[in-house]
Amino acid sequence: MTESIIIIGAGIAGLAAGCYAQLCGYQSQIFELHDLPGGLCTAWERKEYTFDGCIHYLFGSGPGQPFYRMWDELGAVQGRTMVDHADLLQVTDADGRTLVAYCDPDRLEAHLRELSPRDAKPAQELADGVRRFVDFDMTVLQEKPRTLMSPLDYAQLGTRMLPFVMPLIKFGMVPARAYAERFTDPFLRKAVARMFGWPDMPMMGGMQLLAYMHTGNAGFPVGGSLEFARAVERRYLELGGVIHYKAQVEQILVEQDTAVGVRLYDDTEHRADVVISAADGRGTIYHMLDGRYSNGKLDGLYNGHLPLQPMMQISYGVRRDLRGTPHWVTYLLDEEQTIAGAQRDELSVQHYGYDPTLAPAGHTGMTVLLRSDYDYWQRIYGRKLYDTEQLQVAEQVLAIIEQHHPGIRDDVEVTDVATPVSYERYTGNWQGSTCGWLLTPETMRLMILGMPKTLPGLRNLYLAGQWVEPGGSVTLSAASGRSAVQMICAADGKEFAGVSLG
């Protein structure tokens, strides 16, 4: 019978696992390499600005909606204001033509038809997909780990999924860039490919996102990502959990093919009946366990063929009130530019003027996210060239922003650049990938089918986090921590204490 649990990582998955461990009567402790909770769900302060580094929308933000009960149980939504946007983002070309990715499917369809009347058919099809996914409850895929599902559970899952089988077949494996080819209008062929944030996004995922935003279930938590993570940390500590910060795990201790604890880099050892790793997946398997408990399937996942999402974030604190302007715009460049060693034909700019807690009154934080090659930055890390290149990228990006916000250069009070190496250094994530594997049709399939949360041949070790729930969603990461504790309870013949997700 399990009494004690060690959790590696105080990100959202680790904190959620800790909360559910305490709720289920286990004594848990978390070891975290950083000095803050949240992992990748974080933000950082520069002068009087807080630059958010994670949440753009939170599945489960709306009372009575899927996943809300989980966040309520984790102490994250009580008394928290959520900002619900009418659109996900806008895409604008050099001539000023703009596609607005409205969350309301009726408004979206009318807008697409107005932009290109001859593309009425794909416009209606896209809007119909959003309408269909309004009723899609993603918790059906997360309520129980697959290994705990009985034949009856599978039958119930099949029944609940039946209305969505055709949309899943129709849109699940189609990336936005491919769907955009159904439009004849040249602008829409470019803009629709980018209307969900990145061209490889499966249409099903994008449609579901718009649907959840439309129902008020994908809002932005006021206060930002770090404050959101701190709320879950407070809940965990109130439940009696213990967190050790600046305590990086070097090895998972194993005896007779059973995980029995961890050894830190300061050579101290800590023992428990069960270990949950909510840390980087590759680091867990190939470093903390030296690759002894892998197999061909796992090696195939981590051999580099699946696309990662290493990002760099350029942030600006500006002496300008941007409320009333679009909160997220992807600008299509009239000519490609080389930025951070890669050819770019677009620039995606967000601002947080809708959250007054993140900047002084009348001021706004702006961010630009760029997919960026890890090796490009790793080659120059530790040299003066690294800092020089960061400044150069920030200047180049600002020049593009100024074309759309004239004079904004004079309003910039602070500039900050985080590269994939920054993310790796502060979170330990493989190649600084901020969302694990990029959400594509292939990784969408892994998400739907479910990924193993244990390792072959190793007892009492469970995995949680974005590497076992592809897509990089904060909500799915929390659900994975919940799943790990469900599996421990099942192994102990103990009733799981958590509420239903739906």
Side-chain angles (χ1 to χ4, degrees):
M1 176 69 72
T2 301
E3 294 183 2
S4 58
I5 299 174
I6 281 176
I7 300 165
I8 306 171
I12 292 298
L15 291 170
C19 288
Y20 284 109
Q22 297 298 126
L23 286 168
C24 292
Y26 299 114
Q27 184 55 54
S28 67
Q29 54 182 326
I30 299 176
F31 293 86
E32 165 60 39
L33 66 86
H34 202 3
D35 59 359
L36 293 171
L40 287 160
C41 183
T42 193
W44 48 93
E45 295 182 359
R46 297 292 184 267
K47 295 185 178 179
E48 296 182 272
Y49 295 89
T50 299
F51 295 131
D52 201 272
C54 183
I55 300 175
H56 305 300
Y57 38 81
L58 179 76
F59 292 161
S61 65
Q65 295 284 342
F67 291 114
Y68 182 85
R69 295 179 67 190
M70 178 185 72
W71 289 126
D72 182 69
E73 192 167 46
L74 293 174
V77 291
Q78 288 84 342
R80 188 175 304 282
T81 300
M82 298 289 177
V83 177
D84 293 304
H85 296 293
D87 60 83
L88 171 61
L89 54 78
Q90 300 186 15
V91 183
T92 298
D93 71 5
D95 296 324
R97 290 193 75 192
T98 298
L99 165 65
V100 183
Y102 289 114
C103 308
D104 182 335
D106 295 338
R107 193 175 182 186
L108 176 62
E109 181 179 352
H111 175 59
L112 289 170
R113 286 172 177 263
E114 182 180 5
L115 287 171
S116 177
R118 67 180 184 271
D119 284 313
K121 183 177 180 180
Q124 179 182 354
E125 187 179 45
L126 198 164
D128 282 345
V130 178
R131 294 183 184 103
R132 176 59 63 90
F133 284 111
V134 163
D135 296 321
F136 181 60
D137 184 353
M138 195 164 60
T139 64
V140 301
L141 301 173
Q142 303 293 328
E143 190 63 55
K144 283 185 179 181
R146 300 292 193 274
T147 54
L148 301 184
M149 290 179 62
S150 67
L152 178 60
D153 290 327
Y154 274 106
Q156 292 175 341
L157 173 62
T159 299
R160 295 176 66 182
M161 289 292 291
L162 188 60
F164 306 100
V165 170
M166 290 310 297
L168 285 171
I169 293 173
K170 191 172 185 179
F171 300 116
M173 298 298 119
V174 179
R177 70 168 76 245
Y179 188 85
E181 295 300 314
R182 302 182 188 184
F183 289 82
T184 60
D185 181 82
F187 167 68
L188 286 184
R189 288 166 75 93
K190 294 179 180 179
V192 170
R194 295 164 171 85
M195 68 179 291
F196 303 128
W198 64 89
D200 293 315
M201 176 77 152
M203 288 299 294
M204 171 191 160
M207 291 170 171
Q208 182 193 340
L209 171 56
L210 292 185
Y212 269 26
M213 293 182 74
H214 180 53
T215 59
N217 196 39
F220 177 84
V222 168
S225 299
L226 181 56
E227 177 51 37
F228 185 82
R230 281 177 167 148
V232 185
E233 176 201 40
R234 286 193 292 272
R235 172 64 167 157
Y236 175 61
L237 295 175
E238 289 168 358
L239 290 170
V242 176
I243 305 180
H244 307 275
Y245 287 113
K246 294 186 177 180
Q248 186 172 1
V249 172
E250 177 185 8
Q251 289 282 308
I252 295 172
L253 301 176
V254 176
E255 296 175 359
Q256 298 179 343
D257 294 326
T258 302
V260 296
V262 297
R263 182 172 67 246
L264 308 185
Y265 272 93
D266 65 6
D267 290 334
T268 59
E269 295 187 356
H270 305 265
R271 301 209 161 216
D273 299 318
V274 167
V275 175
I276 298 174
S277 179
D280 174 67
R282 191 172 188 276
T284 298
I285 297 168
Y286 299 102
H287 297 296
M288 296 180 197
L289 289 165
D290 298 321
R292 290 174 291 158
Y293 296 96
S294 185
N295 57 19
K297 182 177 180 180
L298 285 171
D299 292 341
L301 292 174
Y302 288 98
N303 66 7
H305 85 280
L306 289 176
L308 300 177
Q309 197 169 23
M311 304 291 292
M312 67 179 301
Q313 176 169 317
I314 306 100
S315 305
Y316 307 93
V318 297
R319 190 176 54 253
R320 184 178 293 196
D321 189 343
L322 293 175
R323 288 177 299 175
T325 66
H327 66 97
W328 185 355
V329 183
T330 295
Y331 298 107
L332 303 179
L333 307 182
D334 53 357
E335 293 183 359
E336 284 192 350
Q337 295 191 33
T338 302
I339 306 175
Q343 291 294 108
R344 318 277 182 178
D345 60 2
E346 64 177 53
L347 191 75
S348 194
V349 182
Q350 301 179 60
H351 76 73
Y352 291 83
Y354 52 84
D355 185 344
T357 71
L358 301 182
H363 297 58
T364 310
M366 303 179 73
T367 63
V368 173
L369 288 174
L370 299 175
R371 285 192 68 193
S372 190
D373 182 60
Y374 170 83
D375 290 337
Y376 177 83
W377 294 99
Q378 180 59 40
R379 283 194 295 269
I380 59 175
Y381 179 67
R383 297 157 53 191
K384 185 177 180 180
L385 182 58
Y386 179 80
D387 295 331
T388 301
E389 177 65 1
Q390 289 185 85
L391 292 174
Q392 180 175 310
V393 170
E395 282 295 315
Q396 192 175 2
V397 167
L398 184 59
I400 298 173
I401 295 175
E402 192 161 35
Q403 295 173 18
H404 305 277
H405 294 273
I408 202 165
R409 178 184 297 278
D410 295 333
D411 293 334
V412 174
E413 296 185 318
V414 59
T415 301
D416 180 81
V417 179
T419 73
V421 176
S422 307
Y423 287 106
E424 182 187 57
R425 187 169 71 249
Y426 285 105
T427 68
N429 248 36
W430 181 27
Q431 295 199 7
S433 184
T434 57
C435 294
W437 290 298
L438 185 68
L439 188 58
T440 65
E442 184 175 6
T443 52
M444 172 73 80
R445 181 178 60 83
L446 293 174
M447 182 175 73
I448 293 173
L449 295 178
M451 293 183 64
K453 296 174 174 61
T454 58
L455 296 178
L458 181 60
R459 294 182 292 273
N460 293 2
L461 186 284
Y462 299 87
L463 304 175
Q466 62 187 11
W467 297 102
V468 294
E469 292 293 349
S473 162
V474 171
T475 301
L476 295 188
S477 289
S480 75
R482 176 181 181 274
S483 293
V485 178
Q486 281 182 297
M487 296 173 72
I488 295 168
C489 287
D492 288 339
K494 188 176 192 177
E495 184 175 354
F496 177 68
V499 297
S500 171
L501 295 177

